Amino acid sequence: MSIIVFGSINMDLVATAPHLPTAGETLLGYDFFQAPGGKGANQAVAIAKLGIPIQMVGRVGKQGFSQELIDNLATNNVKTDNVFVDETVSSGVAIINVDDAGENQIVVIPGANGQVNQEDIGRLSQLLPGKKALLLQLEIPVPAVIAAAEAAQKAGVKVILDPAPAQKDLPEELYPLVDILTPNQVEAAQLVGFPVNDEDSAKKAAEILLEKGVKCAVVKLGAKGVYCSTGTKSFFTPAFSVKTVDTTAAGDAFNGGLAAALSQGLSLPQAIIWGSAAGALAATKSGAQFSLPDRDTFDKFLIGNR
Ligand code: RIB
C-alpha cells in the first residue's frame, strides 16, 4: 500500500570544509555542489528508491529551482501531481556545511515550504483514504502539520512525524495525533528538556513522549543506535557500522526505510532495522538525495550485515 509525504522540498547548496566554521571565522573549503534536498522530499525519494509507491504533497516557488526540484522528484518515481507551484515566493533553500567527519550545519530558508496552508491540507485530505502512512516533518508551518495529522487520524492513516528541525515548544495537541515520533538526539533533548545521548536518557525521553500521547517513540541516537518504545514493548537496536562521509539526510533515510518496511507489513523491530540500514547507507555518501540507497544496494547491505 502506498505512502504520502507532506512536507518540505529544498535545493541544497553544500560546501565541504575541514571543520564547521565557528562564529566570525572565514574558512577555506574544498568543494561546492547544488543538489535536491528538503526533509520531506528526501523521505519521499528514500521510499521511492526502495520501490514503494509514494506521493509528495508540498510546495515549490515560482523562481529558483522549482522545475528542477519537481523534475528530480518525478525522475525518482515520486508522484508530483500535488506539488503546488507558488507564484508568490521562491523555492526552499538549505545552506549546508559538511566537515571531514561528515557532520553538518544546516540553515534552511523555507520559501514556498513556509506558505503551506489549508489549501494543501484540502489536497492532502483527498489522497489519504486507503493510504498506509503519512510522513511529516517540521519544515512547513506547525499548524499545517497538526491539520495534516488530524486529517490522517480521521482517515485511519498512520502518522509518522520526524520533529525536525528541532523545536522546543511543540503544541501539546500534536502528540496524541502521532503514531510514531522519530526525534534524533538534538530534537529529543529539545522536546523533553534534558540531554539525550545514550540508551538510558533515550528511555527517559521516550517515557515522556509516550505520556504526552504519541503511540510509539523512536529515539535516533546516530552511530549508537535506536531506542524504541510503545510503552508495552521497548527495545534497543544497535546502529550498523559504516564509514561516515556525510550525515546529511541520514535521518530522512531512516524515516523512509521505517515507513517502507511498515507499508510492506513488516514488524516494528524489523522496520527499525530497515530505517537504520537506510540511514547508515545514506551516511556513506555525499549529499541528501544523491546518498539515498536504491533497493538493490539496500538488500545487499541487509544480507551482508545479518
Ligand atoms: O535532513 C537534511 C535536509 O535538511 C537537507 O536536505 C536540507 O534541505 C534540510 O532540509
Short mmCIF file of all heavy atoms in Angstrom, two decimals, residues 82-113:
data_model
loop_
_atom_site.label_atom_id
_atom_site.label_comp_id
_atom_site.label_asym_id
_atom_site.label_seq_id
_atom_site.Cartn_x
_atom_site.Cartn_y
_atom_site.Cartn_z
N ASN A 82 0.61 16.68 -6.82
CA ASN A 82 0.17 17.55 -5.74
C ASN A 82 1.29 18.39 -5.14
O ASN A 82 1.21 18.80 -3.98
CB ASN A 82 -0.58 16.75 -4.68
CG ASN A 82 -1.95 16.37 -5.20
OD1 ASN A 82 -2.83 17.22 -5.33
ND2 ASN A 82 -2.10 15.12 -5.61
N VAL A 83 2.31 18.62 -5.95
CA VAL A 83 3.32 19.62 -5.57
C VAL A 83 2.91 20.90 -6.27
O VAL A 83 2.88 20.99 -7.50
CB VAL A 83 4.74 19.19 -6.00
CG1 VAL A 83 5.73 20.31 -5.72
CG2 VAL A 83 5.15 17.90 -5.29
N PHE A 84 2.53 21.89 -5.46
CA PHE A 84 1.96 23.13 -5.98
C PHE A 84 3.07 24.14 -6.24
O PHE A 84 4.00 24.28 -5.43
CB PHE A 84 0.97 23.66 -4.94
CG PHE A 84 0.30 24.94 -5.32
CD1 PHE A 84 -0.68 24.96 -6.31
CD2 PHE A 84 0.61 26.12 -4.68
CE1 PHE A 84 -1.31 26.15 -6.66
CE2 PHE A 84 -0.01 27.31 -5.01
CZ PHE A 84 -0.97 27.32 -6.02
N VAL A 85 2.98 24.84 -7.39
CA VAL A 85 3.96 25.90 -7.68
C VAL A 85 3.37 27.22 -7.19
O VAL A 85 2.38 27.71 -7.72
CB VAL A 85 4.30 25.97 -9.17
CG1 VAL A 85 5.35 27.06 -9.42
CG2 VAL A 85 4.81 24.62 -9.67
N ASP A 86 3.98 27.77 -6.15
CA ASP A 86 3.52 29.01 -5.53
C ASP A 86 4.18 30.19 -6.25
O ASP A 86 5.41 30.35 -6.20
CB ASP A 86 3.91 28.96 -4.05
CG ASP A 86 3.33 30.11 -3.25
OD1 ASP A 86 3.18 31.21 -3.81
OD2 ASP A 86 3.02 29.90 -2.06
N GLU A 87 3.36 30.99 -6.91
CA GLU A 87 3.88 32.09 -7.75
C GLU A 87 4.43 33.25 -6.91
O GLU A 87 5.05 34.16 -7.43
CB GLU A 87 2.75 32.65 -8.63
CG GLU A 87 2.05 31.62 -9.50
CD GLU A 87 2.79 31.36 -10.79
OE1 GLU A 87 3.40 32.31 -11.31
OE2 GLU A 87 2.79 30.20 -11.25
N THR A 88 4.16 33.24 -5.61
CA THR A 88 4.48 34.42 -4.79
C THR A 88 5.85 34.37 -4.12
O THR A 88 6.30 35.37 -3.57
CB THR A 88 3.42 34.60 -3.67
OG1 THR A 88 3.51 33.47 -2.78
CG2 THR A 88 2.02 34.68 -4.22
N VAL A 89 6.50 33.23 -4.12
CA VAL A 89 7.77 33.10 -3.38
C VAL A 89 8.77 32.26 -4.17
O VAL A 89 8.44 31.67 -5.19
CB VAL A 89 7.58 32.35 -2.03
CG1 VAL A 89 7.12 33.25 -0.93
CG2 VAL A 89 6.65 31.18 -2.21
N SER A 90 10.00 32.18 -3.65
CA SER A 90 10.95 31.25 -4.28
C SER A 90 10.95 29.93 -3.53
O SER A 90 10.35 29.80 -2.45
CB SER A 90 12.36 31.85 -4.34
OG SER A 90 12.57 32.68 -3.27
N SER A 91 11.58 28.96 -4.12
CA SER A 91 11.60 27.62 -3.51
C SER A 91 12.44 27.62 -2.24
O SER A 91 13.29 28.50 -2.04
CB SER A 91 12.20 26.62 -4.49
OG SER A 91 11.40 26.54 -5.63
N GLY A 92 12.22 26.63 -1.40
CA GLY A 92 13.02 26.47 -0.19
C GLY A 92 14.48 26.19 -0.56
O GLY A 92 14.77 25.52 -1.55
N VAL A 93 15.36 26.74 0.28
CA VAL A 93 16.81 26.55 0.04
C VAL A 93 17.45 26.18 1.37
O VAL A 93 17.05 26.70 2.42
CB VAL A 93 17.43 27.87 -0.49
CG1 VAL A 93 18.94 27.81 -0.47
CG2 VAL A 93 16.94 28.16 -1.91
N ALA A 94 18.44 25.29 1.32
CA ALA A 94 19.21 24.98 2.54
C ALA A 94 20.69 25.23 2.27
O ALA A 94 21.22 24.79 1.25
CB ALA A 94 18.99 23.52 2.93
N ILE A 95 21.31 25.97 3.17
CA ILE A 95 22.75 26.22 3.08
C ILE A 95 23.40 25.22 4.03
O ILE A 95 23.11 25.24 5.24
CB ILE A 95 23.10 27.66 3.56
CG1 ILE A 95 22.14 28.70 2.97
CG2 ILE A 95 24.56 28.00 3.31
CD1 ILE A 95 22.24 28.89 1.50
N ILE A 96 24.24 24.36 3.49
CA ILE A 96 24.76 23.24 4.30
C ILE A 96 26.29 23.25 4.29
O ILE A 96 26.92 23.36 3.23
CB ILE A 96 24.26 21.88 3.75
CG1 ILE A 96 22.72 21.88 3.68
CG2 ILE A 96 24.78 20.72 4.58
CD1 ILE A 96 22.11 20.58 3.20
N ASN A 97 26.91 23.14 5.46
CA ASN A 97 28.36 22.93 5.58
C ASN A 97 28.59 21.51 6.06
O ASN A 97 27.91 21.06 6.99
CB ASN A 97 28.98 23.89 6.62
CG ASN A 97 28.85 25.34 6.18
OD1 ASN A 97 29.00 25.66 5.01
ND2 ASN A 97 28.55 26.21 7.13
N VAL A 98 29.53 20.83 5.44
CA VAL A 98 29.87 19.46 5.86
C VAL A 98 31.36 19.40 6.15
O VAL A 98 32.17 19.89 5.36
CB VAL A 98 29.52 18.42 4.75
CG1 VAL A 98 29.85 17.01 5.21
CG2 VAL A 98 28.05 18.52 4.37
N ASP A 99 31.75 18.79 7.29
CA ASP A 99 33.17 18.74 7.65
C ASP A 99 33.79 17.37 7.36
O ASP A 99 33.11 16.45 6.88
CB ASP A 99 33.37 19.19 9.11
CG ASP A 99 32.88 18.14 10.11
OD1 ASP A 99 32.49 17.04 9.70
OD2 ASP A 99 32.89 18.46 11.32
N ASP A 100 35.08 17.24 7.70
CA ASP A 100 35.81 15.99 7.42
C ASP A 100 35.22 14.78 8.11
O ASP A 100 35.37 13.65 7.65
CB ASP A 100 37.27 16.14 7.90
CG ASP A 100 38.12 16.89 6.87
OD1 ASP A 100 37.63 17.10 5.74
OD2 ASP A 100 39.26 17.25 7.21
N ALA A 101 34.54 15.01 9.25
CA ALA A 101 33.94 13.88 9.98
C ALA A 101 32.55 13.54 9.46
O ALA A 101 31.89 12.64 9.96
CB ALA A 101 33.87 14.23 11.46
N GLY A 102 32.09 14.28 8.45
CA GLY A 102 30.75 14.03 7.89
C GLY A 102 29.64 14.72 8.66
O GLY A 102 28.46 14.54 8.38
N GLU A 103 30.02 15.51 9.68
CA GLU A 103 29.00 16.25 10.44
C GLU A 103 28.57 17.48 9.64
O GLU A 103 29.34 17.99 8.82
CB GLU A 103 29.56 16.69 11.80
CG GLU A 103 29.85 15.55 12.75
CD GLU A 103 28.64 14.69 13.08
OE1 GLU A 103 27.50 15.20 13.03
OE2 GLU A 103 28.83 13.50 13.33
N ASN A 104 27.37 17.98 9.92
CA ASN A 104 26.91 19.13 9.14
C ASN A 104 26.30 20.22 10.01
O ASN A 104 26.00 20.02 11.18
CB ASN A 104 25.92 18.67 8.05
CG ASN A 104 24.67 18.06 8.65
OD1 ASN A 104 24.13 18.54 9.64
ND2 ASN A 104 24.19 16.98 8.05
N GLN A 105 26.13 21.37 9.37
CA GLN A 105 25.39 22.52 9.91
C GLN A 105 24.43 22.91 8.80
O GLN A 105 24.87 23.01 7.64
CB GLN A 105 26.34 23.71 10.04
CG GLN A 105 26.95 23.94 11.36
CD GLN A 105 27.98 25.08 11.26
OE1 GLN A 105 28.35 25.54 10.19
NE2 GLN A 105 28.43 25.50 12.41
N ILE A 106 23.17 23.16 9.12
CA ILE A 106 22.21 23.49 8.06
C ILE A 106 21.40 24.72 8.43
O ILE A 106 20.86 24.80 9.54
CB ILE A 106 21.22 22.31 7.81
CG1 ILE A 106 21.99 21.00 7.52
CG2 ILE A 106 20.26 22.63 6.68
CD1 ILE A 106 21.10 19.80 7.25
N VAL A 107 21.32 25.68 7.51
CA VAL A 107 20.38 26.80 7.67
C VAL A 107 19.34 26.65 6.55
O VAL A 107 19.70 26.58 5.37
CB VAL A 107 21.09 28.16 7.53
CG1 VAL A 107 20.07 29.30 7.57
CG2 VAL A 107 22.12 28.35 8.64
N VAL A 108 18.07 26.57 6.94
CA VAL A 108 17.01 26.40 5.94
C VAL A 108 16.25 27.72 5.78
O VAL A 108 15.82 28.34 6.76
CB VAL A 108 16.01 25.29 6.37
CG1 VAL A 108 14.86 25.19 5.37
CG2 VAL A 108 16.72 23.96 6.48
N ILE A 109 16.10 28.15 4.52
CA ILE A 109 15.24 29.30 4.21
C ILE A 109 13.97 28.68 3.63
O ILE A 109 13.99 28.15 2.50
CB ILE A 109 15.90 30.23 3.15
CG1 ILE A 109 17.35 30.56 3.55
CG2 ILE A 109 15.05 31.48 2.93
CD1 ILE A 109 17.52 31.29 4.86
N PRO A 110 12.85 28.71 4.36
CA PRO A 110 11.69 27.91 3.95
C PRO A 110 11.10 28.28 2.58
O PRO A 110 10.64 27.39 1.86
CB PRO A 110 10.65 28.18 5.05
CG PRO A 110 11.42 28.68 6.21
CD PRO A 110 12.63 29.39 5.65
N GLY A 111 11.07 29.56 2.20
CA GLY A 111 10.47 29.93 0.92
C GLY A 111 9.07 29.35 0.80
O GLY A 111 8.24 29.49 1.71
N ALA A 112 8.80 28.64 -0.30
CA ALA A 112 7.46 28.10 -0.55
C ALA A 112 7.00 27.13 0.54
O ALA A 112 5.80 27.03 0.82
CB ALA A 112 7.43 27.41 -1.91
N ASN A 113 7.95 26.43 1.17
CA ASN A 113 7.55 25.49 2.24
C ASN A 113 6.81 26.23 3.36
O ASN A 113 5.92 25.67 4.00
CB ASN A 113 8.79 24.81 2.85
CG ASN A 113 9.58 24.03 1.82
OD1 ASN A 113 9.03 23.20 1.12
ND2 ASN A 113 10.87 24.34 1.71
#
